[in-house]
Amino acid sequence: MVWLQEVEHPAKGDKNIVELGMVENIEAGEGSITVTLAFAKHRDPLAEYLIGSAKAAIIRNAPAGTQVEVKTIIKEEAPKKKPGLDLGFEELSEVKHIIGIASGKGGVGKSTVAVNLAVALARLGYKVGLADADVYGPSVPKMTASEADMPDAIVNGEQEVILPLEKYGVKWMSIGYFAKPEQALIWRGPMACNALKQMILQVRWGELDFLLIDMPPGTGDIHISLVHDIPMEGAVIVSTPQDVALADVEKGVNMFRNESVNKPIFGLIENMAWFTPAEHPDEKYYIFGQGGGQRMADKYGIPLLGQIPIVQSIREGGDTGEPAALSTRPDGLAFVALAEKLAEILK
Ligand code: ADP
């Protein structure tokens, strides 16, 4: 072995063939030495050079007259794992429509709408899943009162597959089941992207009519990467009627229409469109302005899918984990109407 350390590999930073693990075997008999060198590929351009150098090194060091033979074998290198996750789309193979639920900024009620839309679609008889990909504030566990639950995993070949939780007729998955809220906040860039991909691609969704993806708010790199990595059919955008929020809608629209993303936007959902007090269900107070959602939808040539009022029961439903869309109150039915419209467009 020591003798063979004299043989340096010119293409590997002059490391010797011993430290490169190329010396597969050494057999020393009476007056003979046979060395086997392992090469990673059949036509290694340096093979002859290395065989000759190995032979010369042994002849230099061994007693005179020793018979030296150098044999070779081919050892294919194990394929290198690509950095990041290498997940396929198998678990999505029975999902008909994958729709991103996006918003230009946080706090417009995107998660509330996503959760209630999922429940409303299930009420209409569709098979529905929701992946809560809002790494910076996962809300599905709280909004469905399943914080204490932990999804199971099963082993599928070499990979684990996560089983979604099922409640209210919907299959749920959230990064919040695996990370404490304060942990999620520190995730950045590739780490967040990988966690999100896993949360969508490594989940046994089974047969679904709709898989909604509650996207993180905003329009950064993480969104672009999410839209690239997940075979989303398109998106819906949630906004409030406020001017500021509407300016953010523009960013959201542009993100999906960007050349590198280029996904259809199926519609705009105007959340908090008006305020209706519980004791006066017929009254509408346009506290954030009136008609903003329609104007924006017209401007971008996308349908206004629905208007959801701001009512106390929607907020309470989010806090208690019983989504408003389960009820027969007007706010519950507003979500059902929204679900009908989306299903109609995607039919
Ligand atoms: P986002 O996902 O856009 O950050 P959330 O869905 O978390 O926003 O909603 C923010 C807060 O507003 C929550 O407390 C939620 O209950 C409340 N909320 C959202 N939509 C409504 C609504 N239509 N009526 C009453 N409260 C709402």
Side-chain angles (χ1 to χ4, degrees):
M1 277 295 205
V2 187
W3 303 340
L4 291 172
Q5 284 174 355
E6 294 171 13
V7 183
E8 290 176 346
H9 195 309
K12 304 260 170 152
D14 288 342
K15 281 194 174 142
N16 70 60
I17 57 173
V18 177
E19 58 180 327
L20 288 168
M22 292 177 69
V23 181
E24 186 71 13
N25 193 27
I26 301 175
E27 267 175 58
E30 278 221 357
S32 74
I33 294 178
T34 305
V35 172
T36 306
L37 297 184
F39 288 90
K41 48 185 184 235
H42 280 279
R43 290 173 194 278
D44 190 325
L46 290 170
E48 288 308 319
Y49 166 83
L50 290 169
I51 292 167
S53 304
K55 211 166 187 174
I58 297 168
I59 290 170
R60 261 199 312 275
N61 291 287
T66 305
Q67 291 288 320
V68 181
E69 193 188 350
V70 178
K71 293 188 197 165
T72 59
I73 55 162
I74 306 299
K75 253 181 143 180
E76 303 259 329
E77 273 178 41
K80 287 204 186 83
K81 269 203 103 170
K82 283 190 214 138
L85 283 180
D86 195 11
L87 296 169
F89 295 153
E90 303 91 76
E91 300 299 337
L92 298 175
S93 61
E94 293 176 279
V95 180
K96 285 194 197 132
H97 302 286
I98 303 178
I99 311 295
I101 312 289
S103 67
K105 65 163 200 166
V108 299
K110 169 183 56 60
S111 297
T112 303
V113 169
V115 165
N116 282 288
L117 184 57
V119 170
L121 283 164
R123 264 182 83 171
L124 293 174
Y126 294 106
K127 296 197 176 78
V128 190
L130 188 147
D132 170 14
D134 190 346
V135 250
Y136 304 125
S139 35
V140 156
K142 185 171 168 55
M143 288 188 179
T144 59
S146 58
E147 296 113 308
D149 297 341
M150 181 73 185
D152 283 330
I154 52 166
V155 178
N156 182 29
E158 285 186 359
Q159 202 153 56
E160 278 204 328
V161 187
I162 313 163
L163 302 179
L165 296 179
E166 290 197 52
K167 197 167 182 181
Y168 308 133
V170 176
K171 291 181 178 170
W172 308 96
M173 183 47 58
S174 169
I175 203 110
Y177 294 126
F178 304 99
K180 296 191 191 89
E182 62 272 20
Q183 241 175 331
L185 286 173
I186 59 159
W187 286 352
R188 288 286 177 270
M191 201 170 155
C193 288
N194 279 345
L196 288 186
K197 273 175 74 177
Q198 219 170 345
M199 282 244 333
I200 299 166
L201 299 178
Q202 215 176 321
V203 174
R204 175 77 22 114
W205 293 108
E207 202 188 312
L208 291 183
D209 296 303
F210 298 99
L211 175 59
L212 307 183
I213 314 271
D214 184 2
M215 297 182 64
T219 50
D221 289 350
I222 203 168
H223 303 78
I224 308 272
S225 127
L226 197 60
V227 183
H228 273 285
D229 291 343
I230 308 297
M232 278 185 220
E233 190 176 337
V236 298
I237 296 183
V238 182
S239 169
T240 66
Q242 275 166 293
D243 282 341
V244 196
L246 292 172
D248 288 304
V249 170
E250 200 157 324
K251 283 191 214 147
V253 170
N254 290 338
M255 177 175 77
F256 288 102
R257 292 194 171 163
N258 178 298
E259 244 173 71
S260 74
V261 172
N262 200 16
K263 299 271 182 196
I265 299 164
F266 297 118
L268 181 73
I269 299 170
E270 188 183 26
N271 188 32
M272 311 194 192
W274 59 81
F275 168 66
T276 294
E279 56 280 11
H280 301 287
D282 298 326
E283 288 173 15
K284 292 180 176 177
Y285 297 91
Y286 292 91
I287 51 180
F288 292 135
Q290 191 177 356
Q294 187 65 59
R295 277 195 297 279
M296 188 50 77
D298 291 346
K299 179 171 175 196
Y300 286 100
I302 50 179
L304 181 63
L305 281 182
Q307 292 175 298
I308 306 294
I310 178 164
V311 290
Q312 195 171 331
S313 48
I314 293 182
R315 205 261 310 142
E316 282 169 356
D319 288 349
T320 58
E322 272 202 32
L326 292 166
S327 82
T328 47
R329 293 185 310 259
D331 52 307
L333 298 179
F335 286 115
V336 174
L338 182 65
E340 271 170 345
K341 191 113 180 240
L342 181 65
E344 179 64 32
I345 285 178
L346 292 172
K347 214 165 50 184

